[in-house]
Coordinates of all heavy atoms in Angstrom, one line a residue:
M20 N 117.9 87.7 103.4 CA 117.0 88.6 104.1 C 116.2 89.4 103.1 O 116.6 90.0 102.1 CB 117.9 89.6 104.9 CG 117.0 90.8 105.5 SD 118.1 92.0 106.3 CE 117.0 93.4 106.2
A21 N 114.9 89.4 103.3 CA 113.9 90.0 102.4 C 113.7 91.5 102.9 O 112.8 91.8 103.6 CB 112.6 89.3 102.4
G22 N 114.7 92.3 102.5 CA 114.6 93.7 102.9 C 113.5 94.4 102.0 O 113.2 94.1 100.9
L23 N 113.0 95.5 102.6 CA 112.1 96.4 101.9 C 112.9 97.6 101.5 O 113.8 98.0 102.2 CB 110.9 96.8 102.8 CG 110.0 95.7 103.2 CD1 108.9 96.3 104.1 CD2 109.3 95.0 102.0
K24 N 112.5 98.2 100.3 CA 113.1 99.4 99.9 C 112.6 100.6 100.7 O 113.2 101.6 100.7 CB 112.9 99.6 98.4 CG 113.6 98.7 97.6 CD 113.5 99.0 96.1 CE 114.5 98.1 95.3 NZ 114.4 98.3 93.9
I25 N 111.5 100.3 101.4 CA 110.9 101.4 102.2 C 111.0 101.0 103.7 O 110.8 99.8 104.1 CB 109.4 101.6 101.8 CG1 109.4 102.2 100.4 CG2 108.6 102.4 102.8 CD1 108.1 102.5 99.8
R26 N 111.4 101.9 104.5 CA 111.7 101.7 105.9 C 110.9 102.6 106.8 O 110.4 103.6 106.4 CB 113.2 102.0 106.1 CG 114.1 101.1 105.3 CD 115.5 101.6 105.5 NE 116.4 100.9 104.5 CZ 117.7 101.3 104.3 NH1 118.2 102.3 104.9 NH2 118.4 100.6 103.4
K27 N 111.0 102.2 108.0 CA 110.4 103.0 109.1 C 110.9 104.4 109.0 O 112.1 104.6 108.9 CB 110.6 102.4 110.4 CG 110.0 103.1 111.6 CD 110.3 102.3 112.9 CE 109.9 103.2 114.1 NZ 110.3 102.5 115.3
G28 N 110.0 105.4 109.1 CA 110.5 106.8 109.1 C 110.5 107.5 107.7 O 110.6 108.7 107.6
D29 N 110.3 106.6 106.7 CA 110.3 107.2 105.3 C 109.0 107.9 105.1 O 107.9 107.5 105.7 CB 110.4 106.1 104.3 CG 111.8 105.5 104.1 OD1 112.7 106.2 104.6 OD2 111.9 104.5 103.5
R30 N 109.0 108.9 104.3 CA 107.8 109.6 103.8 C 107.4 108.9 102.5 O 108.2 108.7 101.6 CB 108.0 111.1 103.6 CG 106.7 111.8 103.3 CD 106.8 113.3 103.7 NE 105.5 113.8 103.6 CZ 104.5 113.8 104.5 NH1 104.8 113.2 105.7 NH2 103.3 114.3 104.3
V31 N 106.1 108.5 102.5 CA 105.7 107.8 101.3 C 104.3 108.4 100.8 O 103.6 109.0 101.5 CB 105.4 106.3 101.6 CG1 106.8 105.6 101.9 CG2 104.4 106.0 102.7
K32 N 104.1 108.1 99.5 CA 102.8 108.5 98.9 C 102.1 107.2 98.5 O 102.7 106.3 97.9 CB 103.1 109.3 97.7 CG 101.9 109.9 97.0 CD 102.2 111.0 96.0 CE 101.0 111.7 95.5 NZ 101.4 112.9 94.7
V33 N 100.7 107.2 98.7 CA 99.9 106.1 98.4 C 99.6 106.1 96.9 O 99.1 107.2 96.4 CB 98.7 106.0 99.3 CG1 97.8 104.8 98.9 CG2 99.1 106.0 100.7
L34 N 99.8 105.0 96.2 CA 99.6 105.0 94.8 C 98.2 104.4 94.4 O 97.7 104.7 93.3 CB 100.6 104.1 94.1 CG 102.1 104.6 94.4 CD1 103.0 103.5 93.7 CD2 102.3 105.9 93.8
T35 N 97.6 103.6 95.2 CA 96.4 102.9 94.8 C 95.5 102.7 96.1 O 96.0 102.8 97.2 CB 96.8 101.6 94.1 OG1 95.6 101.0 93.7 CG2 97.5 100.7 95.1
G36 N 94.3 102.4 95.8 CA 93.3 102.1 96.9 C 92.6 103.4 97.4 O 92.7 104.5 96.8
K37 N 91.9 103.2 98.5 CA 91.0 104.3 98.9 C 91.8 105.6 99.4 O 91.2 106.6 99.5 CB 90.0 103.8 100.0 CG 90.7 103.5 101.4 CD 89.6 103.0 102.3 CE 90.2 102.4 103.6 NZ 90.8 103.3 104.5
D38 N 93.0 105.4 99.8 CA 93.8 106.5 100.3 C 94.8 107.0 99.2 O 95.8 107.6 99.5 CB 94.6 106.0 101.5 CG 93.7 105.8 102.7 OD1 92.8 106.7 102.9 OD2 93.9 104.8 103.4
R39 N 94.5 106.7 98.0 CA 95.4 107.1 96.9 C 95.7 108.6 96.9 O 94.8 109.4 97.1 CB 94.7 106.8 95.5 CG 95.6 107.0 94.4 CD 94.9 106.5 93.1 NE 95.8 106.9 92.0 CZ 95.3 107.2 90.8 NH1 94.1 107.2 90.5 NH2 96.2 107.6 89.9
G40 N 97.0 108.9 96.8 CA 97.4 110.3 96.8 C 97.8 110.9 98.2 O 98.4 111.9 98.3
K41 N 97.4 110.1 99.2 CA 97.8 110.6 100.6 C 99.3 110.4 100.8 O 99.8 109.4 100.3 CB 97.0 109.8 101.6 CG 95.7 110.3 102.0 CD 95.2 109.6 103.3 CE 93.7 109.9 103.6 NZ 93.2 109.1 104.7
E42 N 99.8 111.2 101.6 CA 101.2 111.0 102.0 C 101.3 110.8 103.5 O 100.4 111.4 104.3 CB 102.1 112.2 101.6 CG 102.3 112.3 100.1 CD 103.3 113.5 99.8 OE1 104.0 113.9 100.7 OE2 103.3 113.8 98.6
G43 N 102.2 110.1 103.9 CA 102.4 109.9 105.4 C 103.7 109.3 105.7 O 104.5 108.9 104.8
T44 N 104.0 109.1 106.9 CA 105.3 108.6 107.4 C 105.1 107.1 107.8 O 104.1 106.7 108.4 CB 105.8 109.3 108.6 OG1 105.9 110.7 108.2 CG2 107.1 108.8 109.1
V45 N 106.0 106.3 107.4 CA 106.0 104.9 107.7 C 106.3 104.7 109.2 O 107.3 105.1 109.7 CB 107.1 104.1 106.9 CG1 107.1 102.6 107.3 CG2 106.8 104.2 105.4
M46 N 105.3 104.1 109.8 CA 105.4 103.9 111.3 C 106.0 102.6 111.6 O 106.8 102.4 112.6 CB 104.0 103.9 112.0 CG 103.2 105.2 111.6 SD 104.1 106.7 112.0 CE 104.0 106.7 113.8
R47 N 105.7 101.6 110.8 CA 106.3 100.2 111.0 C 106.4 99.6 109.6 O 105.6 99.8 108.7 CB 105.3 99.3 111.8 CG 105.4 99.7 113.3 CD 104.6 98.7 114.1 NE 105.4 97.4 114.2 CZ 104.9 96.3 114.8 NH1 103.7 96.3 115.4 NH2 105.6 95.2 114.9
A48 N 107.4 98.7 109.5 CA 107.6 97.9 108.3 C 107.6 96.5 108.7 O 108.1 96.1 109.7 CB 108.9 98.3 107.6
F49 N 107.0 95.7 107.8 CA 106.9 94.2 108.0 C 107.5 93.5 106.8 O 106.8 93.2 105.8 CB 105.5 93.8 108.2 CG 104.7 94.5 109.3 CD1 104.0 95.6 109.1 CD2 104.9 94.0 110.6 CE1 103.3 96.2 110.1 CE2 104.2 94.6 111.7 CZ 103.4 95.7 111.4
P50 N 108.8 93.4 106.8 CA 109.5 92.9 105.6 C 109.0 91.5 105.2 O 108.9 91.2 104.0 CB 111.0 92.8 106.0 CG 111.1 93.8 107.1 CD 109.8 93.8 107.8
A51 N 108.7 90.6 106.1 CA 108.2 89.3 105.8 C 106.9 89.3 105.0 O 106.7 88.5 104.1 CB 108.2 88.4 107.0
Q52 N 106.0 90.2 105.4 CA 104.7 90.3 104.8 C 104.8 91.3 103.6 O 103.8 91.4 102.9 CB 103.7 90.8 105.8 CG 103.3 89.7 106.8 CD 104.2 89.7 108.0 OE1 104.8 90.7 108.3 NE2 104.3 88.6 108.7
R53 N 105.9 92.0 103.5 CA 106.0 93.1 102.5 C 104.9 94.1 102.6 O 104.2 94.5 101.7 CB 106.0 92.5 101.0 CG 107.1 91.5 100.8 CD 107.5 91.2 99.4 NE 108.2 92.4 98.8 CZ 109.4 92.7 99.1 NH1 110.2 92.0 99.9 NH2 110.0 93.7 98.5
K54 N 104.7 94.5 103.9 CA 103.6 95.5 104.2 C 104.2 96.5 105.1 O 105.2 96.3 105.8 CB 102.5 94.8 104.9 CG 101.6 93.9 104.0 CD 100.4 93.4 104.7 CE 99.5 92.7 103.6 NZ 98.3 92.2 104.2
V55 N 103.6 97.7 105.1 CA 104.0 98.8 105.9 C 102.7 99.4 106.6 O 101.6 99.3 106.0 CB 104.7 99.9 105.1 CG1 106.1 99.4 104.7 CG2 103.9 100.4 103.9
I56 N 102.9 100.0 107.7 CA 101.9 100.9 108.3 C 102.3 102.3 108.1 O 103.4 102.7 108.5 CB 101.7 100.5 109.8 CG1 101.1 99.1 110.0 CG2 100.8 101.6 110.5 CD1 100.9 98.7 111.4
V57 N 101.4 103.1 107.5 CA 101.7 104.5 107.2 C 100.7 105.3 108.1 O 99.5 105.1 108.1 CB 101.5 104.8 105.7 CG1 101.8 106.2 105.5 CG2 102.3 103.9 104.9
D58 N 101.3 106.3 108.7 CA 100.5 107.2 109.7 C 99.4 107.8 108.9 O 99.5 108.5 107.9 CB 101.5 108.2 110.2 CG 100.8 109.1 111.3 OD1 100.0 108.5 112.0 OD2 101.2 110.2 111.4
G59 N 98.2 107.5 109.4 CA 97.0 108.2 108.9 C 96.4 107.6 107.6 O 95.5 108.1 107.0
V60 N 97.0 106.4 107.2 CA 96.6 105.8 105.9 C 96.0 104.4 106.2 O 96.5 103.7 107.1 CB 97.8 105.7 104.9 CG1 97.5 104.8 103.7 CG2 98.3 107.1 104.5
N61 N 95.0 104.1 105.5 CA 94.3 102.8 105.6 C 93.8 102.6 107.1 O 94.0 101.6 107.7 CB 95.3 101.6 105.3 CG 94.6 100.4 104.8 OD1 93.4 100.4 104.4 ND2 95.2 99.2 104.9
V62 N 93.1 103.6 107.5 CA 92.6 103.6 108.9 C 91.4 102.8 109.0 O 90.5 103.0 108.2 CB 92.4 105.1 109.4 CG1 91.8 105.1 110.8 CG2 93.7 105.9 109.3
A63 N 91.3 102.0 110.0 CA 90.1 101.2 110.2 C 89.6 101.5 111.6 O 90.4 101.8 112.5 CB 90.5 99.7 110.2
K64 N 88.3 101.5 111.7 CA 87.7 101.7 113.1 C 87.7 100.3 113.8 O 87.2 99.4 113.2 CB 86.2 102.2 112.9 CG 86.1 103.5 112.2 CD 86.4 104.7 113.0 CE 86.2 106.0 112.3 NZ 86.8 107.1 112.9
K65 N 88.2 100.3 114.9 CA 88.4 99.1 115.6 C 87.6 99.2 116.9 O 87.7 100.2 117.6 CB 89.8 98.8 116.0 CG 90.6 98.3 114.8 CD 90.5 96.8 114.7 CE 91.4 96.2 113.6 NZ 91.2 94.8 113.4
H66 N 86.9 98.1 117.2 CA 86.3 98.1 118.6 C 87.3 97.5 119.5 O 87.9 96.5 119.3 CB 85.0 97.1 118.5 CG 83.9 97.7 117.7 ND1 83.0 98.6 118.2 CD2 83.7 97.6 116.4 CE1 82.2 98.9 117.3 NE2 82.5 98.4 116.1
Q67 N 87.5 98.3 120.5 CA 88.5 97.9 121.5 C 87.9 97.6 122.8 O 87.2 98.4 123.4 CB 89.5 99.1 121.7 CG 90.5 98.9 122.8 CD 91.9 98.9 122.3 OE1 92.2 98.4 121.2 NE2 92.8 99.5 123.0
A68 N 88.2 96.4 123.3 CA 87.7 96.1 124.6 C 88.6 96.8 125.7 O 89.7 97.0 125.5 CB 87.8 94.6 124.8
P69 N 87.9 97.1 126.8 CA 88.7 97.8 127.8 C 89.9 96.9 128.3 O 89.7 95.7 128.5 CB 87.7 98.0 128.9 CG 86.4 97.9 128.3 CD 86.6 97.0 127.2
T70 N 91.0 97.5 128.5 CA 92.1 96.7 129.1 C 92.6 97.5 130.3 O 92.2 98.6 130.6 CB 93.3 96.5 128.1 OG1 93.8 97.8 127.9 CG2 92.8 95.9 126.8
R71 N 93.5 96.8 131.0 CA 94.0 97.5 132.2 C 94.7 98.8 131.9 O 94.7 99.7 132.6 CB 94.9 96.5 133.0 CG 94.8 96.5 134.5 CD 95.5 95.4 135.1 NE 94.9 94.1 134.8 CZ 95.5 92.9 134.9 NH1 96.7 92.8 135.2 NH2 94.8 91.8 134.6
S72 N 95.4 98.8 130.7 CA 96.2 100.0 130.4 C 95.3 101.1 129.8 O 95.6 102.3 130.0 CB 97.3 99.6 129.5 OG 96.8 99.0 128.3
T73 N 94.3 100.8 129.0 CA 93.5 101.8 128.3 C 92.3 102.2 129.1 O 91.7 103.2 128.8 CB 93.1 101.4 126.9 OG1 92.2 100.3 127.0 CG2 94.3 101.1 126.0
Q74 N 91.9 101.3 130.0 CA 90.7 101.6 130.9 C 89.4 101.6 130.1 O 88.5 100.8 130.4 CB 90.8 102.9 131.6 CG 92.0 103.0 132.6 CD 91.8 102.0 133.8 OE1 90.7 101.8 134.2 NE2 92.9 101.4 134.3
Q75 N 89.2 102.5 129.2 CA 87.8 102.7 128.7 C 87.3 101.9 127.5 O 86.2 101.7 127.3 CB 87.5 104.2 128.5 CG 88.4 104.8 127.5 CD 88.2 106.3 127.4 OE1 87.7 106.9 128.3 NE2 88.4 106.9 126.2
G76 N 88.2 101.5 126.6 CA 87.8 100.8 125.4 C 87.0 101.7 124.5 O 87.2 102.9 124.5
G77 N 86.2 101.0 123.7 CA 85.4 101.8 122.7 C 85.9 101.6 121.3 O 86.5 100.6 121.0
I78 N 85.6 102.6 120.4 CA 86.0 102.5 119.0 C 87.3 103.4 118.9 O 87.3 104.6 119.2 CB 84.9 103.0 118.1 CG1 83.7 102.0 118.2 CG2 85.4 103.0 116.6 CD1 82.5 102.5 117.5
I79 N 88.3 102.8 118.3 CA 89.5 103.5 118.1 C 89.9 103.5 116.6 O 89.5 102.6 115.9 CB 90.7 103.0 118.9 CG1 90.9 101.5 118.6 CG2 90.5 103.2 120.4 CD1 92.3 101.0 119.0
D80 N 90.6 104.5 116.1 CA 91.2 104.4 114.8 C 92.5 103.7 114.8 O 93.3 103.9 115.7 CB 91.5 105.9 114.3 CG 90.2 106.6 114.0 OD1 89.1 106.0 113.9 OD2 90.3 107.9 113.9
K81 N 92.6 102.8 113.9 CA 93.8 102.0 113.8 C 94.4 102.0 112.4 O 93.6 101.7 111.5 CB 93.5 100.5 114.3 CG 94.7 99.7 114.5 CD 94.3 98.4 115.2 CE 95.4 97.3 115.1 NZ 96.7 97.7 115.6
D82 N 95.6 102.3 112.3 CA 96.3 102.3 111.0 C 96.6 100.8 110.6 O 97.3 100.2 111.4 CB 97.6 103.1 111.0 CG 97.3 104.6 111.3 OD1 96.2 105.0 111.0 OD2 98.2 105.2 111.8
M83 N 96.0 100.4 109.5 CA 96.2 99.0 109.1 C 97.4 98.9 108.1 O 97.6 99.8 107.3 CB 95.0 98.4 108.5 CG 93.7 98.5 109.4 SD 94.0 97.5 110.9 CE 93.9 95.8 110.2
P84 N 98.1 97.7 108.1 CA 99.2 97.6 107.2 C 98.6 97.5 105.7 O 97.5 97.1 105.5 CB 99.7 96.2 107.5 CG 99.2 95.8 108.9 CD 97.9 96.6 109.0
L85 N 99.4 98.1 104.8 CA 99.1 98.0 103.4 C 100.3 97.5 102.7 O 101.4 97.6 103.1 CB 98.5 99.3 102.9 CG 99.5 100.5 102.7 CD1 98.9 101.5 101.7 CD2 99.6 101.2 104.0
P86 N 100.1 96.9 101.5 CA 101.2 96.3 100.7 C 102.2 97.4 100.4 O 101.8 98.5 99.9 CB 100.5 95.7 99.5 CG 99.1 95.5 99.9 CD 98.8 96.6 100.8
V87 N 103.5 97.1 100.5 CA 104.5 98.1 100.2 C 104.5 98.4 98.7 O 104.8 99.5 98.4 CB 105.9 97.6 100.7 CG1 106.4 96.4 99.8 CG2 106.9 98.7 100.8
A88 N 103.9 97.5 97.9 CA 103.8 97.8 96.5 C 102.8 99.0 96.2 O 102.8 99.5 95.1 CB 103.4 96.6 95.8
N89 N 102.0 99.3 97.2 CA 100.9 100.3 97.0 C 101.4 101.7 97.3 O 100.7 102.7 97.2 CB 99.7 100.0 97.8 CG 98.9 98.8 97.4 OD1 99.4 98.1 96.5 ND2 97.8 98.6 97.9
V90 N 102.7 101.8 97.8 CA 103.2 103.1 98.1 C 104.5 103.4 97.4 O 105.2 102.4 97.0 CB 103.4 103.3 99.7 CG1 102.1 103.0 100.4 CG2 104.5 102.4 100.2
A91 N 104.8 104.6 97.2 CA 106.1 105.0 96.7 C 106.8 106.0 97.6 O 106.2 106.8 98.3 CB 105.9 105.7 95.3
L92 N 108.1 105.8 97.7 CA 108.9 106.7 98.5 C 108.8 108.1 98.0 O 108.9 108.4 96.8 CB 110.3 106.2 98.5 CG 111.2 106.9 99.5 CD1 111.1 106.3 100.9 CD2 112.7 106.8 99.1
V93 N 108.7 109.1 98.9 CA 108.8 110.5 98.5 C 110.2 110.9 98.8 O 110.7 110.9 100.0 CB 107.8 111.4 99.3 CG1 108.0 112.8 99.0 CG2 106.3 111.0 99.0
C94 N 110.9 111.3 97.8 CA 112.3 111.7 97.9 C 112.5 112.9 98.7 O 111.9 113.9 98.5 CB 112.9 111.9 96.5 SG 114.5 112.6 96.5
P95 N 113.4 112.8 99.8 CA 113.6 114.0 100.6 C 114.3 115.2 99.8 O 114.2 116.3 100.2 CB 114.4 113.5 101.8 CG 114.9 112.2 101.3 CD 114.1 111.7 100.2
S96 N 115.0 114.8 98.7 CA 115.7 115.8 98.0 C 114.8 116.6 97.0 O 114.8 117.8 97.0 CB 116.9 115.2 97.2 OG 117.8 114.6 98.1
C97 N 114.1 115.8 96.2 CA 113.3 116.5 95.1 C 111.8 116.5 95.4 O 111.1 117.2 94.7 CB 113.6 115.8 93.7 SG 113.0 114.1 93.6
G98 N 111.4 115.8 96.5 CA 110.0 115.8 96.9 C 109.0 115.1 96.0 O 107.8 115.2 96.1
K99 N 109.6 114.3 95.1 CA 108.7 113.5 94.2 C 108.6 112.1 94.6 O 109.5 111.5 95.2 CB 109.3 113.5 92.8 CG 109.2 114.9 92.1 CD 109.9 114.9 90.7 CE 109.9 116.2 90.1 NZ 110.8 116.4 89.0
A100 N 107.4 111.5 94.3 CA 107.3 110.0 94.6 C 108.1 109.3 93.6 O 108.1 109.6 92.4 CB 105.8 109.7 94.4
T101 N 109.0 108.4 94.0 CA 110.0 107.8 93.2 C 110.2 106.4 93.5 O 109.8 105.9 94.5 CB 111.3 108.6 93.3 OG1 112.3 108.0 92.4 CG2 111.9 108.4 94.8
R102 N 110.7 105.7 92.5 CA 111.2 104.3 92.8 C 112.6 104.5 93.4 O 113.3 105.5 93.2 CB 111.3 103.5 91.5 CG 109.9 103.2 90.9 CD 109.9 102.1 89.9 NE 110.7 102.5 88.8 CZ 111.6 101.8 88.2 NH1 111.9 100.6 88.6 NH2 112.3 102.2 87.1
V103 N 113.0 103.4 94.1 CA 114.3 103.5 94.8 C 115.3 102.7 94.1 O 115.1 101.5 93.7 CB 114.1 102.9 96.3 CG1 115.4 102.9 97.1 CG2 113.0 103.8 97.0
G104 N 116.5 103.3 94.0 CA 117.6 102.5 93.4 C 118.7 102.3 94.5 O 118.5 102.8 95.6
Y105 N 119.7 101.6 94.2 CA 120.8 101.5 95.1 C 122.1 101.8 94.5 O 122.3 101.6 93.3 CB 120.9 100.0 95.6 CG 119.8 99.6 96.5 CD1 118.7 98.9 96.1 CD2 119.8 100.0 97.9 CE1 117.6 98.5 97.0 CE2 118.8 99.6 98.7 CZ 117.7 98.9 98.3 OH 116.7 98.5 99.1
K106 N 123.0 102.3 95.3 CA 124.4 102.3 94.9 C 125.3 102.1 96.1 O 124.8 102.1 97.2 CB 124.7 103.7 94.3 CG 124.8 104.8 95.3 CD 125.3 106.1 94.7 CE 125.5 107.2 95.7 NZ 126.0 108.5 95.2
V107 N 126.5 101.7 95.8 CA 127.5 101.5 96.9 C 128.4 102.7 97.0 O 129.0 103.2 96.0 CB 128.3 100.2 96.5 CG1 129.4 100.0 97.6 CG2 127.4 99.0 96.4
D108 N 128.4 103.2 98.2 CA 129.2 104.5 98.4 C 130.7 104.1 98.6 O 131.1 103.0 98.6 CB 128.6 105.3 99.5 CG 128.8 104.7 100.9 OD1 129.6 103.8 101.0 OD2 128.2 105.3 101.8
G109 N 131.5 105.2 98.9 CA 132.9 105.0 99.0 C 133.4 104.0 100.1 O 134.4 103.4 99.9
S110 N 132.6 103.9 101.1 CA 133.0 103.0 102.2 C 132.3 101.6 102.1 O 132.3 100.9 103.1 CB 132.6 103.7 103.5 OG 131.2 104.0 103.6
G111 N 131.8 101.4 100.9 CA 131.2 100.0 100.7 C 129.8 99.8 101.2 O 129.3 98.7 101.2
Q112 N 129.2 100.9 101.7 CA 127.8 100.8 102.2 C 126.8 100.9 101.1 O 127.0 101.8 100.2 CB 127.5 102.0 103.2 CG 128.3 101.9 104.5 CD 127.8 100.9 105.5 OE1 126.6 100.6 105.4 NE2 128.6 100.4 106.4
K113 N 125.8 100.1 101.1 CA 124.8 100.2 100.1 C 123.8 101.3 100.6 O 123.3 101.3 101.7 CB 124.0 98.9 100.1 CG 123.2 98.7 98.8 CD 122.9 97.2 98.5 CE 121.5 96.9 98.9 NZ 121.1 95.6 98.4
V114 N 123.6 102.3 99.7 CA 122.8 103.4 100.0 C 121.6 103.5 99.0 O 121.8 103.1 97.8 CB 123.5 104.8 100.1 CG1 124.5 104.8 101.2 CG2 124.2 105.1 98.7
R115 N 120.5 103.9 99.4 CA 119.4 104.1 98.5 C 119.5 105.4 97.8 O 119.9 106.4 98.3 CB 118.0 104.0 99.4 CG 117.8 102.7 100.1 CD 116.5 102.7 100.8 NE 116.5 103.7 101.8 CZ 115.3 104.1 102.4 NH1 114.2 103.4 102.2 NH2 115.3 105.0 103.3
T116 N 119.0 105.4 96.6 CA 119.0 106.6 95.8 C 117.7 106.8 95.1 O 116.9 105.9 94.9 CB 120.1 106.5 94.6 OG1 119.8 105.4 93.8 CG2 121.5 106.3 95.2
C117 N 117.4 108.1 94.8 CA 116.2 108.4 94.1 C 116.4 108.2 92.6 O 117.4 108.7 92.0 CB 115.9 109.9 94.4 SG 114.6 110.6 93.4
K118 N 115.4 107.5 92.0 CA 115.5 107.3 90.5 C 115.2 108.6 89.7 O 115.5 108.6 88.5 CB 114.5 106.2 90.1 CG 114.9 104.8 90.7 CD 115.6 104.0 89.6 CE 115.6 102.5 90.1 NZ 116.4 101.7 89.1
K119 N 114.6 109.6 90.4 CA 114.3 110.8 89.6 C 115.4 111.8 89.7 O 115.8 112.3 88.6 CB 113.0 111.4 90.2 CG 111.8 110.5 90.1 CD 110.6 111.2 89.5 CE 109.6 110.2 88.9 NZ 108.4 110.1 89.7
C120 N 116.0 112.1 90.9 CA 117.0 113.1 90.9 C 118.4 112.6 91.2 O 119.4 113.3 91.1 CB 116.6 114.2 92.0 SG 116.8 113.6 93.7
G121 N 118.5 111.3 91.5 CA 119.8 110.7 91.8 C 120.3 110.9 93.2 O 121.4 110.4 93.6
G122 N 119.5 111.7 94.0 CA 120.0 112.0 95.3 C 120.0 110.8 96.3 O 119.2 109.8 96.0
E123 N 120.8 110.8 97.2 CA 120.9 109.7 98.2 C 119.8 109.9 99.2 O 119.4 111.0 99.6 CB 122.2 109.7 98.9 CG 123.4 109.3 98.1 CD 124.7 109.2 98.8 OE1 124.7 109.2 100.1 OE2 125.7 109.1 98.1
I124 N 119.2 108.7 99.6 CA 118.1 108.7 100.6 C 118.7 108.0 101.8 O 119.0 106.8 101.8 CB 116.9 108.0 100.1 CG1 116.4 108.7 98.8 CG2 115.8 107.9 101.1 CD1 115.5 107.8 97.9
S125 N 118.8 108.7 102.9 CA 119.4 108.1 104.1 C 118.4 107.2 104.8 O 117.2 107.3 104.6 CB 119.9 109.2 105.1 OG 118.8 110.0 105.4
Ligands
ZN216 ZN1 114.8 112.8 94.2

């Protein structure tokens, strides 16, 4: 399984591209493509045709996927953008850890 170190619900910081420096929450992760959608990042204006559910159509803002390599996890413990490590806890579960402060990332 091609897992990503970054998951839905994580807070991340954008490292490169037009949204460099922005922070946001991962809304969706696409492990097969190694891409993530981050709230408010990599927004594209999309022309939307009216559908039965949206009624009106028009131009909408859409968050586009970006490569997971372009973002870094923001550690909930130390608040820094960090690389993610792993360790195995007492019950044999693999948990993510912050490379900066060593804290566990749930
Ligand atoms: Zn940390």
